[in-house]
Amino acid sequence: MVQSDGYSRAFNQLCHMMSLSKDGRVEEAIDNLVLTILYMEPKLKFDKQIRNAISEQFGTTLTVTQVSESIERIGIAGKLTEMNPVVLSTEERQAIEARIGDSEALEKNVKSDWFDLVQSEFELEGHILETLWSSLKDYMAQVFKQHGVQTIRFFDPAFQGNDEMNVSLDTFLKSAYEKFDEIHSNIKRATFDELVELFFNMRSPRKSQYISQSLDSTFTFFALNAAEELSEFLQSSIPELTILIDTNFIYELIGLDEKVRDDLSGELISIIKDSNLPIKLYFHPETRGEYLRTLDAASRELRYFPDKNELRPKWTSNQSQNQLMLGNLSAIARKYHQSNSKQTISLDVFLEKYSQFELLLSVNGINEYHNLPDIDHRDIQSLSRDYEVYLPAEIHKSKSVIKHDMILMKTVEKIRNPNARGIGVGAFFLTNDNQLYSFDWYFIRNHGVTGVTIQPGQFLQLLRPLIKTTSDFDKRFVETIAKTSFRSAATKYTGETEQTLLSYLSQYADVPQEIAMKMLSNAYFIENLKQYDKGSLEFKNVIEDEIAKHQTEALKAEIERSQDLEQNVSVLQEQLDQFRRQREHDKLETEKAREHDKLETEKAIEEVRRKYEERISEGQKYSEEKELQKEREKQKEKEMIENQLEQERAKFRWLLGFFIVFVGIMFIWVFPAYFVDWQWLETHPHRRGLQIATSLIIVGLVWTFADKNHRREALFGIVLAAVLTIAQIIGAS
């Protein structure tokens, strides 16, 4: 594949990204960078600070969401002593310090080995050697940037590359020498090349380890950064996407939902707008209706006494503080009391802001979707019943909420491309609802079919390679992999990852690169929309997340109430005592119910797994029957074609046979009488018998040639004719 340099680099990096995506170790790479930057800059405390420091130190631009998720993972792994603000554990700090020290020692030893070898043949001053080492690292970085994992082969002294590869390597070597020559012009190019060759011919396990470490750094950098040419190609490959958003996403976007990750929705909206991606965000009219119903219910909650049709007096700041301590508030009511507890706010003014539904969304580029398809409401009813059965008993959703979700799922299903896969389907339902997502992907979706729901974090990860960061990708790469701190943080990739990459490069070697890029980009989007494995921890977490959220929410409210009650003990002492008694009672009840909840959860998971496996089995059986039917039809068609060909060949053989018989008989019967003087035949006493026998032999031979089914009878006729002929000749003698 001889293509432009930029196109070739984009293809090479896309192959690396596909390999890393299949290996599933991108999260590990992010975690290692976060841990390393926390060691290098211990004063960092918050997500945005950590993201900015990683960008500055390692030339890698992560999203705040990626950093937040990483901190959660390494916190769960026990590598942090505090989560907010973030503080590394002593053990992890010591481990990182040891890794960086080992990386620095490795580079120092490899450099020393090479310097000793150089000094044994050339007498160079120390400052020249240091500049030479910098030039060598620059050369290696350029080759790694261009060729990735293939560089290992290029640096093997026994490697014999083609002309294109050799030109590429010589170009980078020339560039490295020109920078070196600006400082030390007394070293000729030939000498410089010989010095570099000494390094790669050096037989040293430490050198091999150093190059392998540089390869791991390349993998890590490619996993987290997309070159400008790759981003441009992927952006041109993405179809126009229609995204219908769920109500819970809207709550998060306008700041009403505190249970989801901070600013994830805002970050996603910002990326879509700033990157000019062909993605259109819409809300369904049903979503507006659900939102306004929720707002109306919150308005009644704030205006009236519970279970009474009696207006409340205006809320004071102290009353709002008490309500926050008591908890059990809707999202909108909680937001009002949070604001009112700090400064008294008119309820009408507060609700007026959140009643401007279209305006709140339009400023974020979200508009109403008008091209609504026709949907059979019997399908909605059937799907709603299935979803109600699927939901665990601990999760309570109103029928109106379930109906809303099913309508949006069916709408997306109707407007998307049914013949496409992955992102090519053209439409998704964006939701924070884990239960709805698992119902869509693991329960009703056929195996291999792209689900209609997508979660914000998943969508953000899918868009990451499409985001342009800065135009100095080459400079950032060369500077970053030269840092021992980055090499020490690089994930150690397996030989399987490298083999997968080489397989991609080999598989598309004979495909025009533009076509190969399109095929590989489609595969990338499909790979990143794949379902979780049904037996994986992620799958179980999706099913149990809402249950766990409901179980922990009460505990969180208790802790918050306890903290606030301590500050207001003089006013709320009686409520505190009552709360403590209730907590003791709840604790006893929780102990009794824990085992029951565990068993019910396991049953629910097992039931979902069983239904999922049944659907997979049915799908596989149907696929096998379809394949078998196709094979039978192909075999039948093949047999028909062969029969037709055989009939045509038989016709040709018979025509040719008749012609030969005619010519033969003419030759035996007519030629001797009129054209050729065959005295011996004319005077032979058995002339007629010879002619008849010869004619029979000719007919038998032709019959044997033309008729495959009666060759035995034809051969018998030939033998009989031959015997008669011989008998007549002998008799004549």
Side-chain angles (χ1 to χ4, degrees):
M1 290 183 297
V2 180
Q3 301 286 345
S4 67
D5 184 65
Y7 216 93
S8 179
R9 279 180 53 191
F11 175 76
N12 190 294
Q13 188 181 0
L14 188 55
C15 288
H16 280 74
M17 291 178 64
M18 279 296 296
S19 305
L20 293 163
S21 179
K22 285 187 174 294
D23 198 13
R25 303 185 69 183
V26 175
E27 289 182 351
E28 182 182 346
I30 295 174
D31 292 352
N32 287 342
L33 287 187
V34 171
L35 287 168
T36 302
I37 205 67
L38 287 173
Y39 167 80
M40 295 172 62
E41 299 186 31
K43 293 183 179 180
L44 298 175
K45 301 299 180 184
F46 304 107
D47 300 351
K48 290 184 179 180
Q49 294 176 337
I50 295 170
R51 180 197 63 176
N52 295 338
I54 290 175
S55 176
E56 182 178 347
Q57 288 288 342
F58 301 135
T60 297
T61 302
L62 302 176
T63 64
V64 175
T65 301
Q66 287 175 308
V67 175
S68 301
E69 291 175 341
S70 175
I71 291 173
E72 291 177 9
R73 288 192 297 269
I74 62 182
I76 292 172
K79 298 179 180 182
L80 301 175
T81 57
E82 294 183 34
M83 294 282 287
N84 190 16
V86 182
V87 179
L88 274 180
S89 68
T90 303
E91 293 79 7
E92 187 61 26
R93 182 172 296 280
Q94 292 172 348
I96 296 171
E97 184 177 14
R99 285 199 298 269
I100 294 177
D102 291 343
S103 182
E104 290 174 345
L106 176 64
E107 179 172 332
K108 181 178 179 181
N109 290 331
V110 171
K111 181 169 67 172
S112 177
D113 292 343
W114 183 44
F115 285 359
D116 291 342
L117 190 61
V118 169
Q119 291 292 56
S120 66
E121 300 189 26
F122 303 88
E123 294 185 0
L124 299 178
E125 297 177 6
H127 66 283
I128 297 179
L129 290 174
E130 291 296 334
T131 307
L132 188 62
W133 175 252
S134 298
S135 299
L136 175 67
K137 288 171 64 176
D138 182 73
Y139 167 66
M140 291 174 60
Q142 294 290 348
V143 179
F144 271 115
K145 173 176 60 65
Q146 179 70 21
H147 299 288
V149 72
Q150 297 180 94
T151 305
I152 295 294
R153 293 189 302 153
F154 298 165
F155 288 166
D156 186 344
F159 174 72
Q160 296 292 329
N162 57 34
D163 292 340
E164 182 183 3
M165 293 177 181
N166 291 333
V167 168
S168 173
L169 296 177
D170 186 72
T171 300
F172 295 136
L173 191 60
K174 179 182 178 182
S175 175
Y177 172 73
E178 288 174 351
K179 294 179 182 178
F180 177 85
D181 185 62
E182 291 176 0
I183 303 174
H184 303 291
S185 58
N186 57 324
I187 304 294
K188 301 301 181 184
R189 168 68 190 275
T191 304
F192 179 86
D193 291 0
E194 189 175 353
L195 292 169
V196 172
E197 187 176 355
L198 274 178
F199 176 85
F200 293 111
N201 288 336
M202 186 170 60
R203 301 294 180 181
S204 166
R206 290 191 293 214
K207 184 206 77 173
S208 300
Q209 184 184 355
Y210 179 78
I211 293 178
S212 178
Q213 198 177 80
S214 298
L215 175 62
D216 290 337
S217 300
T218 301
F219 263 116
T220 297
F221 195 89
F222 280 3
L224 305 177
N225 298 273
E228 187 174 12
E229 52 264 37
L230 177 58
S231 295
E232 290 176 352
F233 179 83
L234 291 177
Q235 284 195 21
S236 67
S237 301
I238 189 173
E240 183 170 319
L241 288 180
T242 297
I243 307 295
L244 295 185
I245 60 174
D246 200 358
T247 317
N248 50 52
F249 183 84
I250 296 173
Y251 290 159
E252 179 189 357
L253 184 63
I254 62 179
L256 290 177
D257 194 345
E258 297 177 345
K259 292 184 290 184
V260 292
R261 187 178 298 107
D262 291 341
D263 206 30
L264 173 57
S265 58
E267 189 171 16
L268 182 57
I269 294 291
S270 176
I271 287 173
I272 293 173
K273 292 169 66 176
D274 295 345
S275 301
N276 294 319
L277 297 172
I279 300 173
K280 303 295 183 183
L281 300 175
Y282 298 97
F283 65 86
H284 194 284
E286 286 285 337
T287 303
R288 175 175 52 203
E290 183 182 57
Y291 174 87
L292 294 178
R293 286 192 297 271
T294 303
L295 186 66
D296 183 64
S299 174
R300 293 189 60 82
E301 177 185 355
L302 292 167
R303 293 182 188 277
Y304 293 88
F305 286 104
D307 302 324
K308 296 181 182 179
N309 192 22
E310 182 180 347
L311 282 172
R312 288 179 178 273
K314 292 182 179 180
W315 290 97
T316 66
S317 295
N318 288 335
Q319 287 174 330
S320 288
Q321 290 175 6
N322 294 341
Q323 287 296 312
L324 291 171
M325 287 186 286
L326 292 172
N328 299 321
L329 299 170
S330 67
I332 296 175
R334 186 189 308 113
K335 187 70 174 179
Y336 170 74
H337 286 304
Q338 286 174 344
S339 301
N340 195 62
S341 65
K342 300 172 184 176
Q343 181 179 354
T344 303
I345 297 176
S346 166
L347 181 57
D348 291 332
V349 173
F350 174 83
L351 292 175
E352 179 65 25
K353 171 187 175 182
Y354 290 102
S355 65
Q356 305 295 319
F357 180 78
E358 287 85 355
L359 188 58
L360 285 171
L361 296 185
S362 65
V363 296
N364 290 291
I366 304 172
N367 301 299
E368 183 176 358
Y369 189 75
H370 295 289
N371 300 324
L372 299 175
D374 293 328
I375 297 176
D376 190 339
H377 287 280
R378 290 173 296 183
D379 292 341
I380 301 300
Q381 293 173 356
S382 175
L383 200 58
S384 297
R385 287 193 295 269
D386 289 343
Y387 189 40
E388 289 175 357
V389 172
Y390 174 83
L391 285 172
E394 294 83 355
I395 304 298
H396 302 286
K397 292 189 177 182
S398 67
K399 290 187 178 297
S400 62
V401 170
I402 293 176
K403 180 182 178 183
H404 163 270
D405 293 344
M406 299 306 106
I407 289 176
L408 263 73
M409 286 178 63
K410 274 295 179 184
T411 300
V412 172
E413 192 175 87
K414 289 279 188 180
I415 65 176
R416 67 191 339 200
N417 182 356
N419 300 318
R421 291 181 62 202
I423 205 168
V425 297
F428 287 98
F429 178 25
L430 185 64
T431 179
N432 277 310
D433 191 333
N434 289 334
Q435 288 294 329
L436 182 63
Y437 176 82
S438 63
F439 174 71
D440 174 35
W441 280 90
Y442 309 127
F443 189 73
I444 64 173
R445 194 67 43 203
N446 292 327
H447 184 67
V449 177
T450 303
V452 301
T453 57
I454 188 170
Q455 296 190 301
Q458 182 188 18
F459 196 28
L460 194 62
Q461 178 68 15
L462 189 71
L463 298 180
R464 183 180 56 80
L466 283 70
I467 304 169
K468 293 182 182 179
T469 52
T470 58
S471 58
D472 59 342
F473 178 88
D474 295 354
K475 183 173 180 286
R476 288 187 293 122
F477 176 86
V478 173
E479 291 176 351
T480 300
I481 71 165
K483 294 182 177 181
T484 54
S485 55
F486 186 84
R487 290 206 308 275
S488 70
T491 301
K492 306 299 184 290
Y493 295 100
T494 62
E496 184 178 351
T497 306
E498 297 176 15
Q499 187 59 45
T500 302
L501 171 58
L502 294 175
S503 297
Y504 274 120
L505 295 172
S506 173
Q507 183 70 20
Y508 292 92
D510 56 348
V511 180
Q513 202 161 62
E514 183 177 359
I515 303 300
M517 282 286 285
K518 290 180 179 178
M519 295 168 66
L520 206 55
S521 61
N522 289 340
Y524 171 81
F525 289 127
I526 291 172
E527 180 69 19
N528 280 273
L529 279 172
K530 275 186 176 179
Q531 307 169 20
Y532 290 142
D533 180 76
K534 63 185 178 66
S536 68
L537 178 62
E538 289 88 346
F539 172 70
K540 294 176 182 176
N541 285 342
V542 166
I543 294 177
E544 297 176 353
D545 184 67
E546 288 296 327
I547 299 173
K549 189 184 295 182
H550 282 259
Q551 291 173 340
T552 58
E553 194 174 35
L555 178 59
K556 180 181 177 182
E558 290 173 1
I559 295 172
E560 291 175 349
R561 272 182 274 176
S562 296
Q563 293 173 343
D564 290 332
L565 283 169
E566 289 174 2
Q567 299 172 5
N568 299 276
V569 65
S570 60
V571 180
L572 301 170
Q573 185 63 50
E574 184 179 350
Q575 293 180 357
L576 178 59
D577 293 338
Q578 182 182 357
F579 166 72
R580 286 172 176 167
R581 290 193 297 271
Q582 183 64 38
R583 184 170 58 180
E584 289 299 323
H585 178 267
D586 292 344
K587 185 176 180 182
L588 292 174
E589 292 297 322
T590 301
E591 290 294 331
K592 294 178 183 178
R594 183 174 297 166
E595 190 63 28
H596 177 266
D597 291 343
K598 181 179 178 182
L599 292 174
E600 290 299 318
T601 301
E602 291 176 351
K603 287 180 182 178
I605 293 172
E606 185 60 33
E607 179 65 16
V608 173
R609 182 183 292 113
R610 183 185 64 77
K611 291 181 180 179
Y612 175 75
E613 289 175 347
E614 287 178 357
R615 287 181 174 271
I616 292 297
S617 176
E618 291 173 2
Q620 290 176 343
K621 184 177 179 181
Y622 177 76
S623 299
E624 290 173 358
E625 290 177 353
K626 293 290 285 185
E627 289 297 324
L628 183 60
Q629 183 179 354
K630 288 181 181 179
E631 288 297 324
R632 289 173 179 167
E633 291 176 354
K634 288 181 181 179
Q635 185 64 28
K636 185 176 180 181
E637 184 178 354
K638 182 179 178 181
E639 290 175 356
M640 290 177 59
I641 294 173
E642 289 179 350
N643 289 337
Q644 292 175 356
L645 291 174
E646 181 57 32
Q647 290 175 3
E648 294 298 323
R649 287 194 292 266
K651 288 180 182 179
F652 174 76
R653 288 197 300 270
W654 279 113
L655 289 173
L656 182 62
F658 286 142
F659 177 75
I660 293 172
V661 168
F662 174 77
V663 172
I665 292 176
M666 291 291 293
F667 186 78
I668 298 300
W669 291 88
V670 178
F671 271 52
Y674 298 100
F675 301 102
V676 180
D677 186 12
W678 285 2
Q679 288 297 323
W680 67 273
L681 181 61
E682 292 293 328
T683 58
H684 198 285
H686 299 289
R687 177 169 61 86
R688 296 299 179 193
L690 286 172
Q691 289 176 323
I692 292 171
T694 304
S695 298
L696 288 174
I697 291 172
I698 294 172
V699 171
L701 289 171
V702 171
W703 190 7
T704 303
F705 166 74
D707 190 354
K708 293 182 177 181
N709 298 324
H710 299 87
R711 285 181 175 174
R712 182 178 297 177
E713 293 85 344
L715 288 172
F716 177 77
I718 294 172
V719 172
L720 179 62
V723 170
L724 291 174
T725 302
I726 294 170
Q728 292 179 45
I729 294 173
I730 294 173
S733 321

